[in-house]
Amino acid sequence: MYKYNDFDAAFVRARCAQFRGQVERRVDGSLTEEEFRPLRLMNGLYLQLHAYMLRVAIPYGTLNPDQMDQLAYIADTWDKGYGHFTTRQNIQFNWPKLPDVPDMLDALADVEMHAIQTSGNTIRNVTADHFAGAAADEIADPRPVAELIRQWSTDHPEFQFLPRKFKVAVTGAEADRAVVRAHDIGLVLKRHNGELGAQVIVGGGLGRTPMIGKVLKDFISFGDLLPYLEAVVSVWNLLGRRDNKYKARIKITVHEHGIDDIAARVEERFALIRPDFDESALDALAQIEHFFAPPVFANKPVDAYTRAYENDRMFRAWADTNLAAHKDDGYAIVTVSTKAHGKTPGDATSAQMRVLAQAARDWGHDELRISHEQNVILPHVHKSNLPALHAALKAVDLATANIGLISDIIACPGMDYCALATARAIPVAQGIATRFDELKLEHDIGALKIKISGCINACGHHHVGHIGILGLDRAGVENYQITLGGDGTETTVIGERTGPGFAYDEIVPAIERLIAAYLEVRDHADETFLATYRRLGMGPFKAALYPPKEDSAHAA
Ligand code: HEM
Ligand code: SF4
């Protein structure tokens, strides 16, 4: 876990003090809301539908128990007792009162957290694989690189007024759990002739023009990484379309200029600025790596686990669904679902946060992660502790065995909170989860990712859902478009639209028809929805979604 140095601590405190002054001036009327807006956005404070919203960064999704407890304290003291984990490893508080926000930021600073660069046209919270440092398939822990990028990009003078927001994600494993191909820059750590470095992918993104990133450089050594990234961002800063905010993202620049032209410009810029970077970044990286040294793993029997697995059906279902392979055989990676059927995906109450913090202390080597799928991860749990952990989670409704299943839905806040929303997203997720829980089909259906956004901005990643749902406004009525076949992993694909959208009342039944069709046409029980879609294409699913009407069938 990274620990702030004196510079980090002083920097964050200074920003808190500065913002306190700005809030005071807004409260006493010396600043208008318009004048205050850019100042609050510099500190992650949005104005949503009903209230302000504070977006707090969780760099590369990593938290320690004290930080999680502090989030619970903040939720209780200045919000409504819960927080919302987002698809970008942030937590959002939906109901702060403006005069309280400086106190919230101070409370965050007490545990080395802040809301800087969680908004605005700048490099946003750097995200990473939520299984970092634990996954069996990992080549290298992506977090030291992510931290290096965080330090380089935070308050970087050249990058405070970029053409648009800029998002960087890092993975160090074969499986992509960070959706790196849908980011402005995605880094995939890899080895080349024994040396560790990164593949640089650029120009991915969701939103209104979804695009999959392209490989800009197959391998860059860590020594060259920061000047190379600086060259990429600088080239875009110069070329990026400031005339049209919808065309301002780097994906459009890459599309308009072509990847070869961008690569040539980046190389040119890189050659120019490389001499300005000394080797201190490598020293910094070595120091940072030290903070992320893996815990000492215990070597002890796993009998308690085996006994519970054999005798307790609920535990077995949970273990089969929510555990992932750890690099140490005696351990498991636990994904805790925030998606109990009928609940708001990504919401955690303060009581739940405290249980998670204590679980991490008792059984999880003091580590927690937030995933882009809006769940919480305990990356290092010895198998013998899993039954106790499961019991503790069960007590606060956190033991739902649904990771990767149909009710493990990503949903943005949509019309329930977001000022940009064109439709509701949360109730659609709740409706689908509740319906398939009633049908008791969830485990039979198997791996399936549904992702829902309440508008074209795609905060809920609907483009890369196996089933994507996009809520739109059609003449004042909510309408939901379905896309199929999207994929947010190492084989990223943007989903295809099925056809006309569905009304709010129709969307859950439409999903039900889609799933019934899948169960009908799958080759065998292990053929996933995505595999079936890839084998058969849109045909059977479209037929299920848009059955011919009785009348028109007769007329024909
Ligand atoms: C006040 C609430 C929010 C506002 C105003 C907002 C605004 C936006 C906008 C305007 C875009 C499109 C950016 C572009 O293409 O240039 C976007 C994209 C995105 N937002 Fe949000 N958002 C909000 C909340 C959220 C939440 C709650 C999440 C996570 C659940 C989220 C995650 C994302 C992601 C992942 C994208 C992906 C599109 C991309 O940049 O590739 N946002 N957001
Ligand atoms: S997708 Fe639209 S509705 Fe959902 S959070 Fe983003 S901006 Fe708001």
Side-chain angles (χ1 to χ4, degrees):
M1 182 95 198
Y2 179 72
K3 298 291 302 165
Y4 277 13
N5 59 26
D6 292 346
F7 173 84
D8 298 323
F11 171 78
V12 172
R13 288 291 177 195
R15 283 286 294 262
C16 289
Q18 189 185 52
F19 190 55
R20 184 176 291 278
Q22 293 163 354
V23 169
E24 277 164 11
R25 281 183 282 148
R26 173 69 194 110
V27 171
D28 73 16
S30 348
L31 288 173
T32 63
E33 183 57 36
E34 205 184 322
E35 288 163 336
F36 179 57
R37 187 172 177 272
L39 303 174
R40 67 169 160 76
L41 288 176
M42 290 279 190
N43 292 282
L45 189 64
Y46 284 75
L47 196 51
Q48 295 205 125
L49 224 46
H50 317 288
Y52 284 102
M53 176 273 279
L54 182 67
R55 181 182 290 160
V56 177
I58 301 173
Y60 31 87
T62 297
L63 283 173
N64 65 31
D66 292 347
Q67 291 174 321
M68 186 64 109
D69 272 341
Q70 192 77 336
L71 296 177
Y73 173 78
I74 289 171
D76 278 342
T77 313
W78 298 292
D79 207 276
K80 293 192 179 179
Y82 69 96
H84 180 72
F85 295 116
T86 79
T87 47
R88 297 219 70 260
Q89 297 180 319
N90 296 307
I91 183 167
Q92 298 191 170
F93 292 105
N94 286 317
W95 302 99
K97 294 195 177 54
L98 181 58
D100 293 337
V101 176
D103 291 342
M104 295 171 85
L105 293 180
D106 275 342
L108 288 168
D110 288 345
V111 291
E112 305 188 343
M113 294 182 79
H114 61 72
I116 298 164
Q117 290 188 199
T118 59
S119 170
N121 296 338
T122 176
I123 298 179
R124 300 287 188 90
N125 187 33
V126 178
T127 56
D129 183 350
H130 44 260
F131 290 172
D137 68 343
E138 187 168 86
I139 296 152
D141 188 334
R143 290 172 304 162
V145 169
E147 172 58 26
L148 185 71
I149 297 171
R150 188 188 72 83
Q151 294 186 8
W152 156 78
S153 60
T154 302
D155 228 23
H156 190 305
E158 194 173 334
F159 303 146
Q160 295 311 299
F161 292 98
L162 291 171
R164 211 51 194 90
K165 57 166 88 167
F166 197 86
K167 300 175 179 178
V168 182
V170 196
T171 180
E174 281 166 26
D176 177 4
R177 287 173 289 262
V179 212
V180 295
R181 285 157 190 81
H183 279 76
D184 297 291
I185 290 181
L187 297 176
V188 182
L189 305 191
K190 58 192 267 191
R191 268 181 210 287
H192 181 70
N193 296 334
E195 189 190 3
L196 206 52
Q199 181 185 57
V200 183
I201 296 167
V202 71
L206 302 175
R208 72 175 56 217
T209 320
M211 286 190 188
I212 297 168
K214 297 188 170 68
V215 175
L216 184 67
K217 183 107 178 157
D218 198 47
F219 185 84
I220 189 93
S221 69
F222 283 162
D224 287 340
L225 183 66
L226 290 187
Y228 191 79
L229 295 183
E230 185 141 328
V232 176
V233 187
S234 303
V235 164
W236 171 62
N237 204 4
L238 283 172
L239 293 182
R241 295 270 305 265
R242 284 181 163 85
D243 59 321
N244 179 339
K245 96 180 218 204
Y246 302 119
K247 297 198 168 168
R249 301 289 297 272
I250 195 172
K251 61 189 172 189
I252 306 291
T253 314
V254 171
H255 181 70
E256 286 181 349
H257 288 258
I259 188 80
D260 295 339
D261 177 66
I262 298 294
R265 288 171 192 262
V266 168
E267 288 299 336
E268 196 184 324
R269 177 88 193 152
F270 172 73
L272 198 72
I273 63 175
R274 179 65 184 91
D276 298 340
F277 286 77
D278 56 19
E279 299 313 309
S280 63
L282 275 182
D283 296 343
L285 188 62
Q287 275 204 5
I288 294 169
E289 272 166 4
H290 177 74
F291 289 109
F292 293 96
V296 179
F297 295 122
N299 186 2
K300 52 184 184 180
V302 297
D303 305 355
Y305 168 76
T306 317
R307 263 197 312 278
Y309 192 85
E310 280 167 4
N311 300 321
D312 178 346
R313 256 186 55 238
M314 265 180 97
F315 177 78
R316 186 163 61 239
W318 176 79
D320 285 344
T321 316
N322 293 32
L323 303 185
H326 193 280
K327 52 175 75 163
D328 185 302
D329 266 356
Y331 278 73
I333 302 171
V334 178
T335 302
V336 179
S337 171
T338 69
K339 326 276 180 71
H341 302 107
K343 292 282 160 56
T344 301
D347 272 9
T349 65
S350 53
Q352 289 177 326
M353 290 183 211
R354 289 198 178 94
V355 166
L356 287 164
Q358 195 54 39
R361 283 189 193 100
D362 291 345
W363 306 299
H365 292 279
D366 286 344
E367 271 201 52
L368 295 146
R369 308 286 171 72
I370 308 306
S371 75
H372 76 271
E373 288 169 318
Q374 303 180 292
N375 290 313
V376 182
I377 284 115
L378 291 149
H380 313 291
V381 183
H382 193 269
K383 286 181 178 162
S384 63
N385 293 324
L386 288 169
L389 170 64
H390 181 248
L393 294 175
K394 213 159 55 176
V396 285
D397 207 13
L398 283 177
T400 311
N402 65 346
I403 296 305
L405 303 183
I406 194 168
S407 61
D408 183 13
I409 297 171
I410 291 182
C412 80
M415 203 102 88
D416 287 76
Y417 297 99
C418 182
L420 306 182
T422 44
R424 285 168 288 175
I426 292 169
V428 175
Q430 290 168 323
I432 295 170
T434 308
R435 180 66 187 136
F436 283 90
D437 189 37
E438 283 161 11
L439 294 172
K440 295 291 165 232
L441 272 178
E442 177 152 48
H443 287 266
D444 186 17
I445 296 163
L448 176 59
K449 292 189 188 297
I450 298 189
K451 307 188 183 201
I452 309 174
S453 305
C455 83
I456 201 165
N457 287 320
C459 304
H461 286 195
H462 64 275
H463 297 293
V464 291
H466 302 168
I467 298 176
I469 302 176
L470 165 63
L472 293 170
D473 176 299
R474 289 266 176 272
V477 180
E478 286 163 308
N479 186 275
Y480 293 86
Q481 257 174 22
I482 296 181
T483 48
L484 298 179
D487 172 7
T489 69
E490 59 285 357
T491 44
T492 298
V493 175
I494 305 291
E496 277 180 276
R497 251 182 74 184
T498 56
F502 296 86
Y504 180 77
D505 291 343
E506 253 301 304
I507 185 68
V508 178
I511 299 298
E512 205 175 320
R513 291 203 296 285
L514 206 51
I515 298 303
Y518 154 68
L519 293 174
E520 190 73 21
V521 298
R522 71 179 172 187
D523 209 26
H524 49 83
D526 289 335
E527 191 183 44
T528 61
F529 178 88
L530 188 60
T532 307
Y533 176 81
R534 285 180 177 163
R535 181 170 57 83
L536 295 175
M538 184 77 87
F541 301 106
K542 211 166 168 163
L545 282 176
Y546 310 101
K549 291 210 169 64
E550 284 287 315
D551 288 348
S552 51
H554 288 306

